[in-house]
Amino acid sequence: MALTIICILLFTTATVVAYSKLKPKQFGETLPTAPYLFPVFAHTATFAAGDEKLASALKRYAVSEAPIRFRGIGFNFVLLSGKDIIRKALSTANLDWNKISAPLFGGMFGGSEAIVHALQHDNSGIGAKPYPGSNVHPGRRLLRNQILFFSDAFSRGSLDELVPRFVKNLQDWCAESSSVVGSDWVEKPDLYEFVRDILFSCSVDSFFGKNLRQLNPNLDKDFWEYDDNISFLATPMPRWLRPNAIKARDRCHDSMKRWREHAVNESKSLSLQVPEDASWDPVWGLGAIRRRNKLFDATGGLLDKQNRASTDLALLWALTSNVIPASFWYLFEVLASDGLLDRTRMEIAHILGGLNAINEHKFSPADLTNSDLLQSIYAETLRLHVIALITRSVKKEHHIGKWLFPKDQAIIVSSHVEHMNEQWDTSDEKHPCTAFSPDRFLTHEKNESGERRTKFSLDGRQGQWIPFGLGEHMCPGRHFAKQEMIINFAVLISTFDFELLTPKNWRPEDNLSRYGFGTQQPKQKTPFRIRKRAVK
Ligand code: HEM
Ligand SMILES: *[C@@H]1O[C@H](CO)[C@@H](O)[C@H](O)[C@H]1NC(C)=O
Ligand SMILES: *[C@@H]1O[C@H](CO)[C@@H](O)[C@H](O)[C@H]1NC(C)=O
Ligand SMILES: *[C@@H]1O[C@H](CO)[C@@H](O)[C@H](O)[C@H]1NC(C)=O
Ligand SMILES: CC(=O)N[C@H]1CO[C@H](CO)[C@@H](O)[C@@H]1O
């Protein structure tokens, strides 16, 4: 749904539109506009036409190291492209994140108007001290609270709880699957669905605890139906157009409510006294999730039952919706590349002293996530399949390079535009940006004794490789997402044999209807077969 983009921008910003009539300023060049045929309509048709059209229009008109304006009926934004201008723009505190993004909290997660309003008007920044001149209720510094929560949820102590739990859930899943997957090949219709089902249960249980899924046996089904409709939910379009989308969202919302109510009940019972600073709490999952309630309690009633459930749903969505399809692509790309599966198995065996270390539960996840090859595949997978639109608005008029950016101007950076251009082509022409190349992020250096050493590196890619955004609002889940992708892959391929039942060199397309929302899902099913790996 390309309309999403227009509507997201429309949603908030009648004000932004007014600035399209901006007069040239004395200093600094005004922002150039992409060419169009008809005045007023300008780029409207392109944007309404569909996601493939939108994707190619953004790519076609993007100008390296410069801004370019797109406008039409109800929208007006500036696309930035090129690593220097992107780094410059996103690493300053001159841009707001919440003006454009706040309304999504209502549409996507069912937050009330009050919380959307509070989020949109939180001008206190993310720092410990509010910005001078901001007048936000001290308990309602929602952006600051988010930072506080995630630094707790992904602290060292918390990750030491989360990651081993994730590994254990995955291993338990593999052990339990013995009843369906034995030593003979079994054919399955879709590798994406397979990965999705494993990872939803394993990651949700290791984050929220087991109660969430146990209290809500249909959660995974409801969740994916809801997620399927996310680009509609993000728009301000009339709700009656897609009643099923709203119903799916509300079922997920209800599930979060039920889970929370149960947790509140259980916490009251004296038999369950968990220390305040514990990293894990059996009823809340991560201790950080329980501690977050204190932040909620301090909002003076803004975080009521409905908004707590919305915040929980947002957390569930952030936790699963990107990393799960990304983990599918990771496995798929390896299976589909000649010889790569063997290479990764040799690498894992080399690191851990044999593949059996994984089945025997004798390995340290950090050893895997430090592997050069496994990290390079991870970076390349995200480069190819993440399409995030990083949206900001200009807080106060300022220059970026020679251009003058007026206050309230909406700004967009598309990871797709940056990930799919010549800056990635290798000089030998063997690895164009559109192809999966597992070695793209490996550099070859000579060490002191003159021997070649291969190393994973993102050096020089800042502003170029942006699957997680950049700057103050860069994805706080990125370290966990990386671990999840690599561990999932390593556990699966050391437990099972996989074979794609697809023609050679075939790969599913990205379904671009989630353009802008992060990792794309595959458009076609990927049939495969699987069997338990013989222990060697
Ligand atoms: C492969 C997996 C993932 C991808 C590609 C991804 C991508 C992104 C992107 C592009 C943004 C916007 C950044 C910006 O505007 O500059 C973002 C924000 C965010 N992500 Fe992720 N993400 C992933 C996994 C996760 C996970 C596992 C979590 C854990 C809960 C998470 C939580 C968040 C949150 C809370 C934000 C909002 C941050 C803010 O606005 O300050 N993400 N993510
Ligand atoms: C593409 O994604 C949309 C929304 O997620 C979904 O409704 C549609 O069925 C998908 N298309 C295909 C061909 O799977
Ligand atoms: C929580 O406790 C209340 C009061 O005892 C009860 O009515 C409610 O059903 C409980 N909710 C859950 C989800 O356990
Ligand atoms: C150089 O790299 C080789 C191969 O990785 C390694 O065996 C050797 O010990 C390294 N030498 C030094 C001085 O780091
Ligand atoms: C617009 C849209 O994406 N609609 C989807 C909502 O979810 C259902 C169930 O998954 C899909 O069939 C629709 O295509």
mmCIF file with all atom_site columns, all heavy atoms in Angstrom, residues 180-199:
data_model
loop_
_atom_site.group_PDB
_atom_site.id
_atom_site.type_symbol
_atom_site.label_atom_id
_atom_site.label_alt_id
_atom_site.label_comp_id
_atom_site.label_asym_id
_atom_site.label_entity_id
_atom_site.label_seq_id
_atom_site.pdbx_PDB_ins_code
_atom_site.Cartn_x
_atom_site.Cartn_y
_atom_site.Cartn_z
_atom_site.occupancy
_atom_site.B_iso_or_equiv
_atom_site.pdbx_formal_charge
_atom_site.auth_seq_id
_atom_site.auth_comp_id
_atom_site.auth_asym_id
_atom_site.auth_atom_id
_atom_site.pdbx_PDB_model_num
ATOM 1   N N   . VAL A 1 180 ? 7.927  -35.194 14.730 1.00 0.00 ? 180 VAL A N   1
ATOM 2   C CA  . VAL A 1 180 ? 7.488  -34.905 13.350 1.00 0.00 ? 180 VAL A CA  1
ATOM 3   C C   . VAL A 1 180 ? 8.633  -34.974 12.350 1.00 0.00 ? 180 VAL A C   1
ATOM 4   O O   . VAL A 1 180 ? 8.435  -35.340 11.188 1.00 0.00 ? 180 VAL A O   1
ATOM 5   C CB  . VAL A 1 180 ? 6.820  -33.509 13.226 1.00 0.00 ? 180 VAL A CB  1
ATOM 6   C CG1 . VAL A 1 180 ? 5.372  -33.662 12.821 1.00 0.00 ? 180 VAL A CG1 1
ATOM 7   C CG2 . VAL A 1 180 ? 6.980  -32.686 14.480 1.00 0.00 ? 180 VAL A CG2 1
ATOM 8   N N   . VAL A 1 181 ? 9.819  -34.607 12.771 1.00 0.00 ? 181 VAL A N   1
ATOM 9   C CA  . VAL A 1 181 ? 10.950 -34.636 11.850 1.00 0.00 ? 181 VAL A CA  1
ATOM 10  C C   . VAL A 1 181 ? 11.943 -35.687 12.335 1.00 0.00 ? 181 VAL A C   1
ATOM 11  O O   . VAL A 1 181 ? 12.564 -35.527 13.380 1.00 0.00 ? 181 VAL A O   1
ATOM 12  C CB  . VAL A 1 181 ? 11.654 -33.263 11.787 1.00 0.00 ? 181 VAL A CB  1
ATOM 13  C CG1 . VAL A 1 181 ? 12.813 -33.320 10.801 1.00 0.00 ? 181 VAL A CG1 1
ATOM 14  C CG2 . VAL A 1 181 ? 10.687 -32.166 11.419 1.00 0.00 ? 181 VAL A CG2 1
ATOM 15  N N   . GLY A 1 182 ? 12.065 -36.773 11.573 1.00 0.00 ? 182 GLY A N   1
ATOM 16  C CA  . GLY A 1 182 ? 12.984 -37.839 11.965 1.00 0.00 ? 182 GLY A CA  1
ATOM 17  C C   . GLY A 1 182 ? 14.157 -37.917 11.020 1.00 0.00 ? 182 GLY A C   1
ATOM 18  O O   . GLY A 1 182 ? 14.534 -36.919 10.397 1.00 0.00 ? 182 GLY A O   1
ATOM 19  N N   . SER A 1 183 ? 14.713 -39.105 10.867 1.00 0.00 ? 183 SER A N   1
ATOM 20  C CA  . SER A 1 183 ? 15.904 -39.232 10.032 1.00 0.00 ? 183 SER A CA  1
ATOM 21  C C   . SER A 1 183 ? 15.561 -39.339 8.537  1.00 0.00 ? 183 SER A C   1
ATOM 22  O O   . SER A 1 183 ? 16.449 -39.318 7.693  1.00 0.00 ? 183 SER A O   1
ATOM 23  C CB  . SER A 1 183 ? 16.734 -40.431 10.482 1.00 0.00 ? 183 SER A CB  1
ATOM 24  O OG  . SER A 1 183 ? 15.886 -41.553 10.532 1.00 0.00 ? 183 SER A OG  1
ATOM 25  N N   . ASP A 1 184 ? 14.268 -39.481 8.218  1.00 0.00 ? 184 ASP A N   1
ATOM 26  C CA  . ASP A 1 184 ? 13.880 -39.462 6.799  1.00 0.00 ? 184 ASP A CA  1
ATOM 27  C C   . ASP A 1 184 ? 13.401 -38.063 6.407  1.00 0.00 ? 184 ASP A C   1
ATOM 28  O O   . ASP A 1 184 ? 12.848 -37.339 7.225  1.00 0.00 ? 184 ASP A O   1
ATOM 29  C CB  . ASP A 1 184 ? 12.740 -40.451 6.551  1.00 0.00 ? 184 ASP A CB  1
ATOM 30  C CG  . ASP A 1 184 ? 13.176 -41.883 6.810  1.00 0.00 ? 184 ASP A CG  1
ATOM 31  O OD1 . ASP A 1 184 ? 14.362 -42.196 6.536  1.00 0.00 ? 184 ASP A OD1 1
ATOM 32  O OD2 . ASP A 1 184 ? 12.352 -42.675 7.314  1.00 0.00 ? 184 ASP A OD2 1
ATOM 33  N N   . TRP A 1 185 ? 13.605 -37.743 5.137  1.00 0.00 ? 185 TRP A N   1
ATOM 34  C CA  . TRP A 1 185 ? 13.174 -36.427 4.661  1.00 0.00 ? 185 TRP A CA  1
ATOM 35  C C   . TRP A 1 185 ? 11.671 -36.240 4.828  1.00 0.00 ? 185 TRP A C   1
ATOM 36  O O   . TRP A 1 185 ? 10.898 -37.152 4.559  1.00 0.00 ? 185 TRP A O   1
ATOM 37  C CB  . TRP A 1 185 ? 13.498 -36.267 3.180  1.00 0.00 ? 185 TRP A CB  1
ATOM 38  C CG  . TRP A 1 185 ? 14.945 -36.066 2.857  1.00 0.00 ? 185 TRP A CG  1
ATOM 39  C CD1 . TRP A 1 185 ? 15.745 -36.953 2.192  1.00 0.00 ? 185 TRP A CD1 1
ATOM 40  C CD2 . TRP A 1 185 ? 15.748 -34.919 3.143  1.00 0.00 ? 185 TRP A CD2 1
ATOM 41  N NE1 . TRP A 1 185 ? 17.008 -36.424 2.047  1.00 0.00 ? 185 TRP A NE1 1
ATOM 42  C CE2 . TRP A 1 185 ? 17.043 -35.175 2.628  1.00 0.00 ? 185 TRP A CE2 1
ATOM 43  C CE3 . TRP A 1 185 ? 15.520 -33.692 3.791  1.00 0.00 ? 185 TRP A CE3 1
ATOM 44  C CZ2 . TRP A 1 185 ? 18.087 -34.265 2.726  1.00 0.00 ? 185 TRP A CZ2 1
ATOM 45  C CZ3 . TRP A 1 185 ? 16.566 -32.790 3.889  1.00 0.00 ? 185 TRP A CZ3 1
ATOM 46  C CH2 . TRP A 1 185 ? 17.827 -33.072 3.368  1.00 0.00 ? 185 TRP A CH2 1
ATOM 47  N N   . VAL A 1 186 ? 11.270 -35.060 5.273  1.00 0.00 ? 186 VAL A N   1
ATOM 48  C CA  . VAL A 1 186 ? 9.856  -34.680 5.310  1.00 0.00 ? 186 VAL A CA  1
ATOM 49  C C   . VAL A 1 186 ? 9.707  -33.415 4.466  1.00 0.00 ? 186 VAL A C   1
ATOM 50  O O   . VAL A 1 186 ? 10.488 -32.480 4.625  1.00 0.00 ? 186 VAL A O   1
ATOM 51  C CB  . VAL A 1 186 ? 9.388  -34.310 6.739  1.00 0.00 ? 186 VAL A CB  1
ATOM 52  C CG1 . VAL A 1 186 ? 7.878  -34.174 6.797  1.00 0.00 ? 186 VAL A CG1 1
ATOM 53  C CG2 . VAL A 1 186 ? 9.890  -35.307 7.749  1.00 0.00 ? 186 VAL A CG2 1
ATOM 54  N N   . GLU A 1 187 ? 8.704  -33.397 3.570  1.00 0.00 ? 187 GLU A N   1
ATOM 55  C CA  . GLU A 1 187 ? 8.509  -32.191 2.755  1.00 0.00 ? 187 GLU A CA  1
ATOM 56  C C   . GLU A 1 187 ? 7.597  -31.208 3.467  1.00 0.00 ? 187 GLU A C   1
ATOM 57  O O   . GLU A 1 187 ? 6.633  -31.602 4.110  1.00 0.00 ? 187 GLU A O   1
ATOM 58  C CB  . GLU A 1 187 ? 7.916  -32.575 1.397  1.00 0.00 ? 187 GLU A CB  1
ATOM 59  C CG  . GLU A 1 187 ? 8.883  -33.418 0.602  1.00 0.00 ? 187 GLU A CG  1
ATOM 60  C CD  . GLU A 1 187 ? 8.474  -33.570 -0.872 1.00 0.00 ? 187 GLU A CD  1
ATOM 61  O OE1 . GLU A 1 187 ? 7.477  -32.948 -1.285 1.00 0.00 ? 187 GLU A OE1 1
ATOM 62  O OE2 . GLU A 1 187 ? 9.188  -34.310 -1.581 1.00 0.00 ? 187 GLU A OE2 1
ATOM 63  N N   . LYS A 1 188 ? 7.937  -29.944 3.340  1.00 0.00 ? 188 LYS A N   1
ATOM 64  C CA  . LYS A 1 188 ? 7.108  -28.900 3.965  1.00 0.00 ? 188 LYS A CA  1
ATOM 65  C C   . LYS A 1 188 ? 6.834  -27.819 2.932  1.00 0.00 ? 188 LYS A C   1
ATOM 66  O O   . LYS A 1 188 ? 7.658  -27.556 2.059  1.00 0.00 ? 188 LYS A O   1
ATOM 67  C CB  . LYS A 1 188 ? 7.852  -28.261 5.144  1.00 0.00 ? 188 LYS A CB  1
ATOM 68  C CG  . LYS A 1 188 ? 8.298  -29.250 6.202  1.00 0.00 ? 188 LYS A CG  1
ATOM 69  C CD  . LYS A 1 188 ? 7.619  -28.919 7.506  1.00 0.00 ? 188 LYS A CD  1
ATOM 70  C CE  . LYS A 1 188 ? 7.926  -29.985 8.533  1.00 0.00 ? 188 LYS A CE  1
ATOM 71  N NZ  . LYS A 1 188 ? 6.869  -30.092 9.513  1.00 0.00 ? 188 LYS A NZ  1
ATOM 72  N N   . PRO A 1 189 ? 5.649  -27.184 3.065  1.00 0.00 ? 189 PRO A N   1
ATOM 73  C CA  . PRO A 1 189 ? 5.254  -26.242 2.002  1.00 0.00 ? 189 PRO A CA  1
ATOM 74  C C   . PRO A 1 189 ? 5.971  -24.895 2.018  1.00 0.00 ? 189 PRO A C   1
ATOM 75  O O   . PRO A 1 189 ? 6.096  -24.250 0.985  1.00 0.00 ? 189 PRO A O   1
ATOM 76  C CB  . PRO A 1 189 ? 3.756  -26.044 2.255  1.00 0.00 ? 189 PRO A CB  1
ATOM 77  C CG  . PRO A 1 189 ? 3.550  -26.390 3.690  1.00 0.00 ? 189 PRO A CG  1
ATOM 78  C CD  . PRO A 1 189 ? 4.584  -27.424 4.038  1.00 0.00 ? 189 PRO A CD  1
ATOM 79  N N   . ASP A 1 190 ? 6.441  -24.441 3.178  1.00 0.00 ? 190 ASP A N   1
ATOM 80  C CA  . ASP A 1 190 ? 6.951  -23.061 3.193  1.00 0.00 ? 190 ASP A CA  1
ATOM 81  C C   . ASP A 1 190 ? 7.980  -22.835 4.300  1.00 0.00 ? 190 ASP A C   1
ATOM 82  O O   . ASP A 1 190 ? 7.671  -22.922 5.490  1.00 0.00 ? 190 ASP A O   1
ATOM 83  C CB  . ASP A 1 190 ? 5.776  -22.088 3.365  1.00 0.00 ? 190 ASP A CB  1
ATOM 84  C CG  . ASP A 1 190 ? 6.213  -20.634 3.187  1.00 0.00 ? 190 ASP A CG  1
ATOM 85  O OD1 . ASP A 1 190 ? 7.334  -20.393 2.680  1.00 0.00 ? 190 ASP A OD1 1
ATOM 86  O OD2 . ASP A 1 190 ? 5.430  -19.735 3.556  1.00 0.00 ? 190 ASP A OD2 1
ATOM 87  N N   . LEU A 1 191 ? 9.182  -22.510 3.873  1.00 0.00 ? 191 LEU A N   1
ATOM 88  C CA  . LEU A 1 191 ? 10.268 -22.278 4.830  1.00 0.00 ? 191 LEU A CA  1
ATOM 89  C C   . LEU A 1 191 ? 10.010 -21.041 5.695  1.00 0.00 ? 191 LEU A C   1
ATOM 90  O O   . LEU A 1 191 ? 10.395 -20.985 6.853  1.00 0.00 ? 191 LEU A O   1
ATOM 91  C CB  . LEU A 1 191 ? 11.598 -22.120 4.077  1.00 0.00 ? 191 LEU A CB  1
ATOM 92  C CG  . LEU A 1 191 ? 12.862 -22.040 4.939  1.00 0.00 ? 191 LEU A CG  1
ATOM 93  C CD1 . LEU A 1 191 ? 13.107 -23.333 5.691  1.00 0.00 ? 191 LEU A CD1 1
ATOM 94  C CD2 . LEU A 1 191 ? 14.091 -21.714 4.075  1.00 0.00 ? 191 LEU A CD2 1
ATOM 95  N N   . TYR A 1 192 ? 9.341  -20.043 5.115  1.00 0.00 ? 192 TYR A N   1
ATOM 96  C CA  . TYR A 1 192 ? 9.066  -18.828 5.898  1.00 0.00 ? 192 TYR A CA  1
ATOM 97  C C   . TYR A 1 192 ? 8.146  -19.146 7.074  1.00 0.00 ? 192 TYR A C   1
ATOM 98  O O   . TYR A 1 192 ? 8.419  -18.780 8.215  1.00 0.00 ? 192 TYR A O   1
ATOM 99  C CB  . TYR A 1 192 ? 8.463  -17.735 5.009  1.00 0.00 ? 192 TYR A CB  1
ATOM 100 C CG  . TYR A 1 192 ? 8.019  -16.522 5.810  1.00 0.00 ? 192 TYR A CG  1
ATOM 101 C CD1 . TYR A 1 192 ? 8.899  -15.877 6.670  1.00 0.00 ? 192 TYR A CD1 1
ATOM 102 C CD2 . TYR A 1 192 ? 6.716  -16.042 5.734  1.00 0.00 ? 192 TYR A CD2 1
ATOM 103 C CE1 . TYR A 1 192 ? 8.509  -14.787 7.429  1.00 0.00 ? 192 TYR A CE1 1
ATOM 104 C CE2 . TYR A 1 192 ? 6.309  -14.948 6.482  1.00 0.00 ? 192 TYR A CE2 1
ATOM 105 C CZ  . TYR A 1 192 ? 7.212  -14.341 7.327  1.00 0.00 ? 192 TYR A CZ  1
ATOM 106 O OH  . TYR A 1 192 ? 6.809  -13.266 8.081  1.00 0.00 ? 192 TYR A OH  1
ATOM 107 N N   . GLU A 1 193 ? 7.062  -19.877 6.777  1.00 0.00 ? 193 GLU A N   1
ATOM 108 C CA  . GLU A 1 193 ? 6.133  -20.226 7.846  1.00 0.00 ? 193 GLU A CA  1
ATOM 109 C C   . GLU A 1 193 ? 6.828  -21.055 8.929  1.00 0.00 ? 193 GLU A C   1
ATOM 110 O O   . GLU A 1 193 ? 6.589  -20.877 10.124 1.00 0.00 ? 193 GLU A O   1
ATOM 111 C CB  . GLU A 1 193 ? 4.975  -21.025 7.267  1.00 0.00 ? 193 GLU A CB  1
ATOM 112 C CG  . GLU A 1 193 ? 3.633  -20.541 7.721  1.00 0.00 ? 193 GLU A CG  1
ATOM 113 C CD  . GLU A 1 193 ? 2.537  -21.133 6.844  1.00 0.00 ? 193 GLU A CD  1
ATOM 114 O OE1 . GLU A 1 193 ? 2.260  -22.339 7.012  1.00 0.00 ? 193 GLU A OE1 1
ATOM 115 O OE2 . GLU A 1 193 ? 2.015  -20.400 5.972  1.00 0.00 ? 193 GLU A OE2 1
ATOM 116 N N   . PHE A 1 194 ? 7.692  -21.939 8.481  1.00 0.00 ? 194 PHE A N   1
ATOM 117 C CA  . PHE A 1 194 ? 8.420  -22.808 9.399  1.00 0.00 ? 194 PHE A CA  1
ATOM 118 C C   . PHE A 1 194 ? 9.264  -21.973 10.375 1.00 0.00 ? 194 PHE A C   1
ATOM 119 O O   . PHE A 1 194 ? 9.159  -22.105 11.591 1.00 0.00 ? 194 PHE A O   1
ATOM 120 C CB  . PHE A 1 194 ? 9.290  -23.754 8.557  1.00 0.00 ? 194 PHE A CB  1
ATOM 121 C CG  . PHE A 1 194 ? 10.194 -24.661 9.347  1.00 0.00 ? 194 PHE A CG  1
ATOM 122 C CD1 . PHE A 1 194 ? 9.698  -25.840 9.907  1.00 0.00 ? 194 PHE A CD1 1
ATOM 123 C CD2 . PHE A 1 194 ? 11.540 -24.360 9.520  1.00 0.00 ? 194 PHE A CD2 1
ATOM 124 C CE1 . PHE A 1 194 ? 10.525 -26.682 10.628 1.00 0.00 ? 194 PHE A CE1 1
ATOM 125 C CE2 . PHE A 1 194 ? 12.378 -25.199 10.238 1.00 0.00 ? 194 PHE A CE2 1
ATOM 126 C CZ  . PHE A 1 194 ? 11.862 -26.361 10.798 1.00 0.00 ? 194 PHE A CZ  1
ATOM 127 N N   . VAL A 1 195 ? 10.059 -21.070 9.835  1.00 0.00 ? 195 VAL A N   1
ATOM 128 C CA  . VAL A 1 195 ? 10.930 -20.232 10.671 1.00 0.00 ? 195 VAL A CA  1
ATOM 129 C C   . VAL A 1 195 ? 10.084 -19.315 11.564 1.00 0.00 ? 195 VAL A C   1
ATOM 130 O O   . VAL A 1 195 ? 10.371 -19.110 12.744 1.00 0.00 ? 195 VAL A O   1
ATOM 131 C CB  . VAL A 1 195 ? 11.883 -19.399 9.791  1.00 0.00 ? 195 VAL A CB  1
ATOM 132 C CG1 . VAL A 1 195 ? 12.633 -18.369 10.614 1.00 0.00 ? 195 VAL A CG1 1
ATOM 133 C CG2 . VAL A 1 195 ? 12.859 -20.301 9.058  1.00 0.00 ? 195 VAL A CG2 1
ATOM 134 N N   . ARG A 1 196 ? 9.018  -18.795 10.972 1.00 0.00 ? 196 ARG A N   1
ATOM 135 C CA  . ARG A 1 196 ? 8.151  -17.869 11.692 1.00 0.00 ? 196 ARG A CA  1
ATOM 136 C C   . ARG A 1 196 ? 7.557  -18.513 12.954 1.00 0.00 ? 196 ARG A C   1
ATOM 137 O O   . ARG A 1 196 ? 7.567  -17.920 14.027 1.00 0.00 ? 196 ARG A O   1
ATOM 138 C CB  . ARG A 1 196 ? 7.030  -17.473 10.740 1.00 0.00 ? 196 ARG A CB  1
ATOM 139 C CG  . ARG A 1 196 ? 6.319  -16.227 11.081 1.00 0.00 ? 196 ARG A CG  1
ATOM 140 C CD  . ARG A 1 196 ? 5.337  -15.908 9.999  1.00 0.00 ? 196 ARG A CD  1
ATOM 141 N NE  . ARG A 1 196 ? 4.105  -16.668 10.208 1.00 0.00 ? 196 ARG A NE  1
ATOM 142 C CZ  . ARG A 1 196 ? 2.997  -16.456 9.509  1.00 0.00 ? 196 ARG A CZ  1
ATOM 143 N NH1 . ARG A 1 196 ? 2.969  -15.567 8.534  1.00 0.00 ? 196 ARG A NH1 1
ATOM 144 N NH2 . ARG A 1 196 ? 1.919  -17.143 9.777  1.00 0.00 ? 196 ARG A NH2 1
ATOM 145 N N   . ASP A 1 197 ? 7.074  -19.754 12.781 1.00 0.00 ? 197 ASP A N   1
ATOM 146 C CA  . ASP A 1 197 ? 6.440  -20.406 13.920 1.00 0.00 ? 197 ASP A CA  1
ATOM 147 C C   . ASP A 1 197 ? 7.436  -20.699 15.036 1.00 0.00 ? 197 ASP A C   1
ATOM 148 O O   . ASP A 1 197 ? 7.129  -20.541 16.210 1.00 0.00 ? 197 ASP A O   1
ATOM 149 C CB  . ASP A 1 197 ? 5.730  -21.682 13.473 1.00 0.00 ? 197 ASP A CB  1
ATOM 150 C CG  . ASP A 1 197 ? 4.523  -21.358 12.618 1.00 0.00 ? 197 ASP A CG  1
ATOM 151 O OD1 . ASP A 1 197 ? 4.119  -20.176 12.603 1.00 0.00 ? 197 ASP A OD1 1
ATOM 152 O OD2 . ASP A 1 197 ? 3.995  -22.263 11.943 1.00 0.00 ? 197 ASP A OD2 1
ATOM 153 N N   . ILE A 1 198 ? 8.630  -21.139 14.653 1.00 0.00 ? 198 ILE A N   1
ATOM 154 C CA  . ILE A 1 198 ? 9.636  -21.420 15.685 1.00 0.00 ? 198 ILE A CA  1
ATOM 155 C C   . ILE A 1 198 ? 9.986  -20.136 16.419 1.00 0.00 ? 198 ILE A C   1
ATOM 156 O O   . ILE A 1 198 ? 9.986  -20.072 17.641 1.00 0.00 ? 198 ILE A O   1
ATOM 157 C CB  . ILE A 1 198 ? 10.954 -21.941 15.073 1.00 0.00 ? 198 ILE A CB  1
ATOM 158 C CG1 . ILE A 1 198 ? 10.712 -23.199 14.268 1.00 0.00 ? 198 ILE A CG1 1
ATOM 159 C CG2 . ILE A 1 198 ? 11.987 -22.192 16.159 1.00 0.00 ? 198 ILE A CG2 1
ATOM 160 C CD1 . ILE A 1 198 ? 11.971 -23.675 13.560 1.00 0.00 ? 198 ILE A CD1 1
ATOM 161 N N   . LEU A 1 199 ? 10.318 -19.114 15.643 1.00 0.00 ? 199 LEU A N   1
ATOM 162 C CA  . LEU A 1 199 ? 10.873 -17.921 16.265 1.00 0.00 ? 199 LEU A CA  1
ATOM 163 C C   . LEU A 1 199 ? 9.854  -17.116 17.048 1.00 0.00 ? 199 LEU A C   1
ATOM 164 O O   . LEU A 1 199 ? 10.192 -16.482 18.038 1.00 0.00 ? 199 LEU A O   1
ATOM 165 C CB  . LEU A 1 199 ? 11.555 -17.040 15.219 1.00 0.00 ? 199 LEU A CB  1
ATOM 166 C CG  . LEU A 1 199 ? 12.916 -17.559 14.774 1.00 0.00 ? 199 LEU A CG  1
ATOM 167 C CD1 . LEU A 1 199 ? 13.589 -16.562 13.866 1.00 0.00 ? 199 LEU A CD1 1
ATOM 168 C CD2 . LEU A 1 199 ? 13.808 -17.853 15.979 1.00 0.00 ? 199 LEU A CD2 1
#
